[in-house]
Amino acid sequence: MTARAADRARYDRATAHLEAPLALVDLEAFDANAADLVRRSGGKPVRVASKSVRCRALLERVLAKDGFQGIMSFTLAESLWLARSGFDDILLAYPSADRSGFAELTADPKLAAAVTVMVDDPAQLDLIDAARGDGREVVRICLELDTSLKLFGGRVRVGARRSPLRSPAQLAEVARMVTERPGFRLVGLMAYEGHIAGVGDAVAGRPLRSRAIRLMQAAARRELAERRGAAVRAVRSVAPDLEFVNGGGTGSVQHTAAESAVTEIAAGSGLYVPRLFDNYTSFSGRPAALFALPVVRRPGVGVVTVLGGGYPASGAAGPDRSPVPYLPEGLAYDPQEGAGEVQTPLLGSPADDLLIGDRVWFRHAKAGELCERFASLHLVEGDEVTATVPTYRGEGHTFL
C-alpha cells in the first residue's frame, strides 16, 4: 500500500461516523509543516497569516509552538475580533477603509495596543482620523514597501500591485508624516514578495517555464534584498525604534530570513500545504487540509459523480485554481464540466472501485479559502477524529 493509499484508509476510518461533505486537518502533517517553517526561518520568528488558516483553534495551536509569534490578519474587523479573543500581536496586512472599525480601535486601549494597521498613503491616515470620533488612542502603524520587480526601464512589472511606496526615499517621506502626526506611532515595515513566495518554480511538464521562473526569482531576490535593506535604513533614520520588519511567505521563508534587514517572517499556507505549493524546489510539505465529497452517481464505466465540488480559489481564473482530486489516486475532472456547483463527475479507472456513498478526498488550490466552504474542521490524529473545531465561518464570520 502506498503512503497516499494508507492516508486514504486512515481518513476513511477516522471519519466513517460523519456525513460528507466534510473537511479535516491531519494534525501530524500540520505539526510537521509548522516545524519545517520554523527550521527554514533560521531563528527568526514566524508570524502566522490568518487568511491561510481561518480557524481560531488552529491559530492557537501553532502560536503555542516555539518559533511562532503574532498574527498577520486580513481585515480590520477580523483583527478586532481576534484581539477581543485574546490574541495580542496582530498585524493587519492590508489597508482598511472600515470607519466603524477604526472608531472601535481608537476608543479601546486594549485593541489599540494589540493591533497594528497598514498604511501606504497619507490619505489613509486622514480616514482614520476622520473615523475617530471621541477615540484618542494612539494607532500603531506599519508601512508597506512595493516588492515588484521592474524590468526594461519599468516597462515590464513582475509581482502584485500593492503599495505605491517603492523607493527608500518614498518610505522615509511617509514615515516622517506618520511620526510627525499626533495619534499615530510607526512601529513596523512590511514587504511581501508574492512573485517569489507564491509562485512555484517547478511547474510539471513545463521545464522552460520553470527555468524562466527560477531565473526571474533569483533576479528578484537580489534586487529586493538590496532595496529592502536601503528602505529599512531610510525608515529607521526617521523612526529608530521600529519594532519589526516583516517579509517573506511560505515559498520564500529561508531566502527572506537570510536578509539581515528582516526581523520576522510571514507564513501560513505552509501549515496546510494546498495544491499550489506542489511545484516548488525550495521546500516540500505534507498535505494537511483536505475535504471529502460523497459519491452519489455512477454514470458509466470509469466515471463517478460526487456531490458538490465547485470550490475555486481566488486569483486569475484557470485550471490551477480548482481543487484537485487527491484520494484515491488517478481521478481527474471531465474537461467538459470541471468542478461543478452541485455535482462533479470524475474520470479514471479508480472510479470503478468506488461505490455509492464512498468518499473522494480533495485538496483545495489555496489554503484558508477551504474554510469559507465548511463550518468546521475535523482534527485527525492517527485514524481518529480527536476534536471538531469551528472555522471562521462556523463562528459566524465571513470577513470578506
Side-chain angles (χ1 to χ4, degrees), residues 41-47 69 187-189 228 232 236 242-247 256-266:
S41 70
K44 293 184 178 178
V46 178
R47 185 179 290 274
Q69 180 180 305
V187 299
L189 176 66
R228 178 156 42 197
V232 171
R236 287 195 185 278
L242 206 65
E243 295 176 12
F244 65 86
V245 176
N246 181 280
T256 308
E259 295 182 33
S260 59
V262 174
T263 66
E264 64 174 38
I265 307 300

PDB file of all heavy atoms in Angstrom, residues 41-47 69 187-189 228 232 236 242-247 256-266:
ATOM      1  N   SER A  41      13.059  29.255   8.842  1.00  0.00           N
ATOM      2  CA  SER A  41      13.142  30.671   9.227  1.00  0.00           C
ATOM      3  C   SER A  41      14.446  31.007   9.935  1.00  0.00           C
ATOM      4  O   SER A  41      14.725  32.186  10.199  1.00  0.00           O
ATOM      5  CB  SER A  41      11.958  31.047  10.117  1.00  0.00           C
ATOM      6  OG  SER A  41      12.067  30.441  11.393  1.00  0.00           O
ATOM      7  N   GLY A  42      15.243  30.005  10.260  1.00  0.00           N
ATOM      8  CA  GLY A  42      16.588  30.232  10.771  1.00  0.00           C
ATOM      9  C   GLY A  42      16.661  31.031  12.054  1.00  0.00           C
ATOM     10  O   GLY A  42      17.586  31.819  12.248  1.00  0.00           O
ATOM     11  N   GLY A  43      15.703  30.843  12.942  1.00  0.00           N
ATOM     12  CA  GLY A  43      15.737  31.528  14.230  1.00  0.00           C
ATOM     13  C   GLY A  43      14.929  32.808  14.282  1.00  0.00           C
ATOM     14  O   GLY A  43      14.746  33.377  15.376  1.00  0.00           O
ATOM     15  N   LYS A  44      14.457  33.289  13.144  1.00  0.00           N
ATOM     16  CA  LYS A  44      13.598  34.473  13.152  1.00  0.00           C
ATOM     17  C   LYS A  44      12.151  34.038  13.359  1.00  0.00           C
ATOM     18  O   LYS A  44      11.727  33.019  12.812  1.00  0.00           O
ATOM     19  CB  LYS A  44      13.753  35.255  11.851  1.00  0.00           C
ATOM     20  CG  LYS A  44      15.143  35.873  11.723  1.00  0.00           C
ATOM     21  CD  LYS A  44      15.306  36.725  10.487  1.00  0.00           C
ATOM     22  CE  LYS A  44      16.709  37.351  10.474  1.00  0.00           C
ATOM     23  NZ  LYS A  44      16.947  38.172   9.260  1.00  0.00           N
ATOM     24  N   PRO A  45      11.379  34.783  14.151  1.00  0.00           N
ATOM     25  CA  PRO A  45      10.007  34.353  14.439  1.00  0.00           C
ATOM     26  C   PRO A  45       9.129  34.363  13.189  1.00  0.00           C
ATOM     27  O   PRO A  45       9.305  35.188  12.287  1.00  0.00           O
ATOM     28  CB  PRO A  45       9.520  35.377  15.468  1.00  0.00           C
ATOM     29  CG  PRO A  45      10.406  36.562  15.283  1.00  0.00           C
ATOM     30  CD  PRO A  45      11.734  36.026  14.845  1.00  0.00           C
ATOM     31  N   VAL A  46       8.186  33.432  13.163  1.00  0.00           N
ATOM     32  CA  VAL A  46       7.227  33.327  12.060  1.00  0.00           C
ATOM     33  C   VAL A  46       5.902  33.914  12.514  1.00  0.00           C
ATOM     34  O   VAL A  46       5.320  33.473  13.507  1.00  0.00           O
ATOM     35  CB  VAL A  46       7.034  31.861  11.627  1.00  0.00           C
ATOM     36  CG1 VAL A  46       5.998  31.772  10.510  1.00  0.00           C
ATOM     37  CG2 VAL A  46       8.364  31.246  11.194  1.00  0.00           C
ATOM     38  N   ARG A  47       5.436  34.904  11.787  1.00  0.00           N
ATOM     39  CA  ARG A  47       4.116  35.493  12.040  1.00  0.00           C
ATOM     40  C   ARG A  47       3.105  34.742  11.173  1.00  0.00           C
ATOM     41  O   ARG A  47       3.281  34.634   9.960  1.00  0.00           O
ATOM     42  CB  ARG A  47       4.126  36.982  11.709  1.00  0.00           C
ATOM     43  CG  ARG A  47       2.814  37.699  12.067  1.00  0.00           C
ATOM     44  CD  ARG A  47       2.873  39.174  11.738  1.00  0.00           C
ATOM     45  NE  ARG A  47       3.771  39.920  12.605  1.00  0.00           N
ATOM     46  CZ  ARG A  47       3.435  40.433  13.786  1.00  0.00           C
ATOM     47  NH1 ARG A  47       2.189  40.269  14.249  1.00  0.00           N
ATOM     48  NH2 ARG A  47       4.310  41.103  14.497  1.00  0.00           N
ATOM     49  N   GLN A  69       5.222  33.711  16.392  1.00  0.00           N
ATOM     50  CA  GLN A  69       4.924  34.896  17.192  1.00  0.00           C
ATOM     51  C   GLN A  69       4.043  35.846  16.398  1.00  0.00           C
ATOM     52  O   GLN A  69       4.465  36.388  15.378  1.00  0.00           O
ATOM     53  CB  GLN A  69       6.222  35.602  17.589  1.00  0.00           C
ATOM     54  CG  GLN A  69       6.039  36.851  18.423  1.00  0.00           C
ATOM     55  CD  GLN A  69       7.367  37.486  18.767  1.00  0.00           C
ATOM     56  OE1 GLN A  69       8.247  36.826  19.321  1.00  0.00           O
ATOM     57  NE2 GLN A  69       7.539  38.748  18.418  1.00  0.00           N
ATOM     58  N   VAL A 187       5.592  51.632  13.872  1.00  0.00           N
ATOM     59  CA  VAL A 187       6.231  50.515  14.575  1.00  0.00           C
ATOM     60  C   VAL A 187       6.790  49.452  13.640  1.00  0.00           C
ATOM     61  O   VAL A 187       7.578  48.607  14.077  1.00  0.00           O
ATOM     62  CB  VAL A 187       5.243  49.842  15.564  1.00  0.00           C
ATOM     63  CG1 VAL A 187       4.776  50.833  16.613  1.00  0.00           C
ATOM     64  CG2 VAL A 187       4.051  49.218  14.830  1.00  0.00           C
ATOM     65  N   GLY A 188       6.387  49.466  12.362  1.00  0.00           N
ATOM     66  CA  GLY A 188       6.817  48.362  11.511  1.00  0.00           C
ATOM     67  C   GLY A 188       6.891  48.700  10.039  1.00  0.00           C
ATOM     68  O   GLY A 188       6.381  49.728   9.580  1.00  0.00           O
ATOM     69  N   LEU A 189       7.551  47.813   9.311  1.00  0.00           N
ATOM     70  CA  LEU A 189       7.652  47.876   7.853  1.00  0.00           C
ATOM     71  C   LEU A 189       7.414  46.473   7.320  1.00  0.00           C
ATOM     72  O   LEU A 189       7.932  45.494   7.878  1.00  0.00           O
ATOM     73  CB  LEU A 189       9.036  48.366   7.431  1.00  0.00           C
ATOM     74  CG  LEU A 189       9.353  48.399   5.930  1.00  0.00           C
ATOM     75  CD1 LEU A 189       8.474  49.414   5.224  1.00  0.00           C
ATOM     76  CD2 LEU A 189      10.828  48.725   5.700  1.00  0.00           C
ATOM     77  N   ARG A 228      15.261  46.485  -0.143  1.00  0.00           N
ATOM     78  CA  ARG A 228      14.625  46.375   1.174  1.00  0.00           C
ATOM     79  C   ARG A 228      15.595  46.843   2.262  1.00  0.00           C
ATOM     80  O   ARG A 228      15.197  47.546   3.197  1.00  0.00           O
ATOM     81  CB  ARG A 228      14.172  44.943   1.437  1.00  0.00           C
ATOM     82  CG  ARG A 228      13.541  44.753   2.791  1.00  0.00           C
ATOM     83  CD  ARG A 228      12.609  43.561   2.867  1.00  0.00           C
ATOM     84  NE  ARG A 228      13.071  42.366   2.201  1.00  0.00           N
ATOM     85  CZ  ARG A 228      12.272  41.339   1.875  1.00  0.00           C
ATOM     86  NH1 ARG A 228      10.985  41.388   2.169  1.00  0.00           N
ATOM     87  NH2 ARG A 228      12.767  40.272   1.274  1.00  0.00           N
ATOM     88  N   VAL A 232      14.794  49.933   4.780  1.00  0.00           N
ATOM     89  CA  VAL A 232      14.797  49.802   6.238  1.00  0.00           C
ATOM     90  C   VAL A 232      15.719  50.849   6.857  1.00  0.00           C
ATOM     91  O   VAL A 232      15.377  51.498   7.860  1.00  0.00           O
ATOM     92  CB  VAL A 232      15.201  48.380   6.658  1.00  0.00           C
ATOM     93  CG1 VAL A 232      15.419  48.302   8.168  1.00  0.00           C
ATOM     94  CG2 VAL A 232      14.131  47.377   6.223  1.00  0.00           C
ATOM     95  N   ARG A 236      14.411  53.674   9.396  1.00  0.00           N
ATOM     96  CA  ARG A 236      14.992  53.734  10.748  1.00  0.00           C
ATOM     97  C   ARG A 236      15.665  55.083  11.019  1.00  0.00           C
ATOM     98  O   ARG A 236      15.781  55.500  12.179  1.00  0.00           O
ATOM     99  CB  ARG A 236      15.986  52.590  10.948  1.00  0.00           C
ATOM    100  CG  ARG A 236      15.327  51.218  11.118  1.00  0.00           C
ATOM    101  CD  ARG A 236      16.308  50.202  11.679  1.00  0.00           C
ATOM    102  NE  ARG A 236      15.754  48.867  11.743  1.00  0.00           N
ATOM    103  CZ  ARG A 236      14.958  48.412  12.712  1.00  0.00           C
ATOM    104  NH1 ARG A 236      14.620  49.234  13.718  1.00  0.00           N
ATOM    105  NH2 ARG A 236      14.515  47.173  12.690  1.00  0.00           N
ATOM    106  N   LEU A 242      11.817  51.380  15.419  1.00  0.00           N
ATOM    107  CA  LEU A 242      10.992  50.448  14.643  1.00  0.00           C
ATOM    108  C   LEU A 242      11.037  49.061  15.290  1.00  0.00           C
ATOM    109  O   LEU A 242      12.105  48.536  15.577  1.00  0.00           O
ATOM    110  CB  LEU A 242      11.538  50.381  13.223  1.00  0.00           C
ATOM    111  CG  LEU A 242      10.583  50.001  12.090  1.00  0.00           C
ATOM    112  CD1 LEU A 242       9.500  51.058  11.909  1.00  0.00           C
ATOM    113  CD2 LEU A 242      11.373  49.835  10.799  1.00  0.00           C
ATOM    114  N   GLU A 243       9.867  48.471  15.527  1.00  0.00           N
ATOM    115  CA  GLU A 243       9.805  47.208  16.264  1.00  0.00           C
ATOM    116  C   GLU A 243      10.066  45.984  15.387  1.00  0.00           C
ATOM    117  O   GLU A 243      10.617  44.984  15.849  1.00  0.00           O
ATOM    118  CB  GLU A 243       8.444  47.060  16.948  1.00  0.00           C
ATOM    119  CG  GLU A 243       8.175  48.097  18.020  1.00  0.00           C
ATOM    120  CD  GLU A 243       6.773  47.974  18.595  1.00  0.00           C
ATOM    121  OE1 GLU A 243       6.096  46.943  18.326  1.00  0.00           O
ATOM    122  OE2 GLU A 243       6.336  48.899  19.304  1.00  0.00           O
ATOM    123  N   PHE A 244       9.622  46.034  14.125  1.00  0.00           N
ATOM    124  CA  PHE A 244       9.764  44.839  13.287  1.00  0.00           C
ATOM    125  C   PHE A 244       9.838  45.209  11.821  1.00  0.00           C
ATOM    126  O   PHE A 244       9.354  46.259  11.390  1.00  0.00           O
ATOM    127  CB  PHE A 244       8.600  43.868  13.521  1.00  0.00           C
ATOM    128  CG  PHE A 244       7.250  44.410  13.109  1.00  0.00           C
ATOM    129  CD1 PHE A 244       6.793  44.303  11.794  1.00  0.00           C
ATOM    130  CD2 PHE A 244       6.419  45.031  14.036  1.00  0.00           C
ATOM    131  CE1 PHE A 244       5.554  44.802  11.410  1.00  0.00           C
ATOM    132  CE2 PHE A 244       5.182  45.530  13.666  1.00  0.00           C
ATOM    133  CZ  PHE A 244       4.747  45.418  12.352  1.00  0.00           C
ATOM    134  N   VAL A 245      10.475  44.323  11.054  1.00  0.00           N
ATOM    135  CA  VAL A 245      10.468  44.369   9.590  1.00  0.00           C
ATOM    136  C   VAL A 245      10.010  42.996   9.134  1.00  0.00           C
ATOM    137  O   VAL A 245      10.697  41.989   9.336  1.00  0.00           O
ATOM    138  CB  VAL A 245      11.860  44.691   9.019  1.00  0.00           C
ATOM    139  CG1 VAL A 245      11.825  44.630   7.488  1.00  0.00           C
ATOM    140  CG2 VAL A 245      12.335  46.053   9.506  1.00  0.00           C
ATOM    141  N   ASN A 246       8.851  42.940   8.510  1.00  0.00           N
ATOM    142  CA  ASN A 246       8.223  41.677   8.132  1.00  0.00           C
ATOM    143  C   ASN A 246       8.413  41.420   6.643  1.00  0.00           C
ATOM    144  O   ASN A 246       8.260  42.328   5.821  1.00  0.00           O
ATOM    145  CB  ASN A 246       6.729  41.713   8.470  1.00  0.00           C
ATOM    146  CG  ASN A 246       6.018  40.426   8.129  1.00  0.00           C
ATOM    147  OD1 ASN A 246       5.677  40.178   6.975  1.00  0.00           O
ATOM    148  ND2 ASN A 246       5.781  39.609   9.135  1.00  0.00           N
ATOM    149  N   GLY A 247       8.728  40.185   6.295  1.00  0.00           N
ATOM    150  CA  GLY A 247       8.861  39.828   4.895  1.00  0.00           C
ATOM    151  C   GLY A 247       8.601  38.357   4.677  1.00  0.00           C
ATOM    152  O   GLY A 247       8.417  37.593   5.618  1.00  0.00           O
ATOM    153  N   THR A 256      14.191  34.884   2.522  1.00  0.00           N
ATOM    154  CA  THR A 256      13.910  36.144   3.193  1.00  0.00           C
ATOM    155  C   THR A 256      14.574  36.202   4.561  1.00  0.00           C
ATOM    156  O   THR A 256      15.088  37.247   4.968  1.00  0.00           O
ATOM    157  CB  THR A 256      12.396  36.346   3.331  1.00  0.00           C
ATOM    158  OG1 THR A 256      11.784  36.165   2.048  1.00  0.00           O
ATOM    159  CG2 THR A 256      12.068  37.740   3.831  1.00  0.00           C
ATOM    160  N   ALA A 257      14.558  35.082   5.271  1.00  0.00           N
ATOM    161  CA  ALA A 257      15.168  35.051   6.607  1.00  0.00           C
ATOM    162  C   ALA A 257      16.654  35.338   6.557  1.00  0.00           C
ATOM    163  O   ALA A 257      17.241  35.806   7.547  1.00  0.00           O
ATOM    164  CB  ALA A 257      14.913  33.702   7.262  1.00  0.00           C
ATOM    165  N   ALA A 258      17.297  35.098   5.421  1.00  0.00           N
ATOM    166  CA  ALA A 258      18.736  35.333   5.300  1.00  0.00           C
ATOM    167  C   ALA A 258      19.083  36.811   5.208  1.00  0.00           C
ATOM    168  O   ALA A 258      20.252  37.181   5.371  1.00  0.00           O
ATOM    169  CB  ALA A 258      19.279  34.597   4.074  1.00  0.00           C
ATOM    170  N   GLU A 259      18.089  37.675   4.950  1.00  0.00           N
ATOM    171  CA  GLU A 259      18.347  39.106   4.865  1.00  0.00           C
ATOM    172  C   GLU A 259      18.450  39.696   6.265  1.00  0.00           C
ATOM    173  O   GLU A 259      17.515  39.562   7.069  1.00  0.00           O
ATOM    174  CB  GLU A 259      17.235  39.804   4.088  1.00  0.00           C
ATOM    175  CG  GLU A 259      17.143  39.402   2.625  1.00  0.00           C
ATOM    176  CD  GLU A 259      16.048  40.172   1.893  1.00  0.00           C
ATOM    177  OE1 GLU A 259      15.814  41.358   2.247  1.00  0.00           O
ATOM    178  OE2 GLU A 259      15.412  39.592   0.993  1.00  0.00           O
ATOM    179  N   SER A 260      19.540  40.384   6.550  1.00  0.00           N
ATOM    180  CA  SER A 260      19.738  40.926   7.892  1.00  0.00           C
ATOM    181  C   SER A 260      18.719  42.006   8.236  1.00  0.00           C
ATOM    182  O   SER A 260      18.414  42.225   9.413  1.00  0.00           O
ATOM    183  CB  SER A 260      21.154  41.491   8.024  1.00  0.00           C
ATOM    184  OG  SER A 260      21.381  42.520   7.062  1.00  0.00           O
ATOM    185  N   ALA A 261      18.168  42.678   7.236  1.00  0.00           N
ATOM    186  CA  ALA A 261      17.214  43.755   7.496  1.00  0.00           C
ATOM    187  C   ALA A 261      15.868  43.235   7.992  1.00  0.00           C
ATOM    188  O   ALA A 261      15.105  43.964   8.621  1.00  0.00           O
ATOM    189  CB  ALA A 261      17.013  44.588   6.233  1.00  0.00           C
ATOM    190  N   VAL A 262      15.559  41.977   7.691  1.00  0.00           N
ATOM    191  CA  VAL A 262      14.264  41.393   8.054  1.00  0.00           C
ATOM    192  C   VAL A 262      14.345  40.820   9.464  1.00  0.00           C
ATOM    193  O   VAL A 262      15.287  40.102   9.800  1.00  0.00           O
ATOM    194  CB  VAL A 262      13.865  40.293   7.052  1.00  0.00           C
ATOM    195  CG1 VAL A 262      12.597  39.579   7.486  1.00  0.00           C
ATOM    196  CG2 VAL A 262      13.692  40.892   5.656  1.00  0.00           C
ATOM    197  N   THR A 263      13.333  41.135  10.288  1.00  0.00           N
ATOM    198  CA  THR A 263      13.340  40.642  11.674  1.00  0.00           C
ATOM    199  C   THR A 263      12.340  39.522  11.906  1.00  0.00           C
ATOM    200  O   THR A 263      12.442  38.810  12.905  1.00  0.00           O
ATOM    201  CB  THR A 263      13.029  41.779  12.659  1.00  0.00           C
ATOM    202  OG1 THR A 263      11.671  42.231  12.469  1.00  0.00           O
ATOM    203  CG2 THR A 263      13.985  42.949  12.468  1.00  0.00           C
ATOM    204  N   GLU A 264      11.350  39.354  11.017  1.00  0.00           N
ATOM    205  CA  GLU A 264      10.362  38.294  11.176  1.00  0.00           C
ATOM    206  C   GLU A 264       9.842  37.881   9.812  1.00  0.00           C
ATOM    207  O   GLU A 264       9.903  38.634   8.845  1.00  0.00           O
ATOM    208  CB  GLU A 264       9.203  38.740  12.072  1.00  0.00           C
ATOM    209  CG  GLU A 264       8.386  39.892  11.513  1.00  0.00           C
ATOM    210  CD  GLU A 264       7.167  40.230  12.346  1.00  0.00           C
ATOM    211  OE1 GLU A 264       7.250  40.174  13.591  1.00  0.00           O
ATOM    212  OE2 GLU A 264       6.107  40.551  11.747  1.00  0.00           O
ATOM    213  N   ILE A 265       9.325  36.655   9.755  1.00  0.00           N
ATOM    214  CA  ILE A 265       8.839  36.063   8.511  1.00  0.00           C
ATOM    215  C   ILE A 265       7.331  35.846   8.608  1.00  0.00           C
ATOM    216  O   ILE A 265       6.819  35.454   9.663  1.00  0.00           O
ATOM    217  CB  ILE A 265       9.533  34.704   8.246  1.00  0.00           C
ATOM    218  CG1 ILE A 265      11.054  34.852   8.295  1.00  0.00           C
ATOM    219  CG2 ILE A 265       9.088  34.125   6.916  1.00  0.00           C
ATOM    220  CD1 ILE A 265      11.629  35.802   7.288  1.00  0.00           C
ATOM    221  N   ALA A 266       6.628  36.079   7.515  1.00  0.00           N
ATOM    222  CA  ALA A 266       5.199  35.772   7.454  1.00  0.00           C
ATOM    223  C   ALA A 266       4.988  34.465   6.705  1.00  0.00           C
ATOM    224  O   ALA A 266       5.628  34.220   5.683  1.00  0.00           O
ATOM    225  CB  ALA A 266       4.434  36.887   6.748  1.00  0.00           C
TER     226      ALA A 266
END
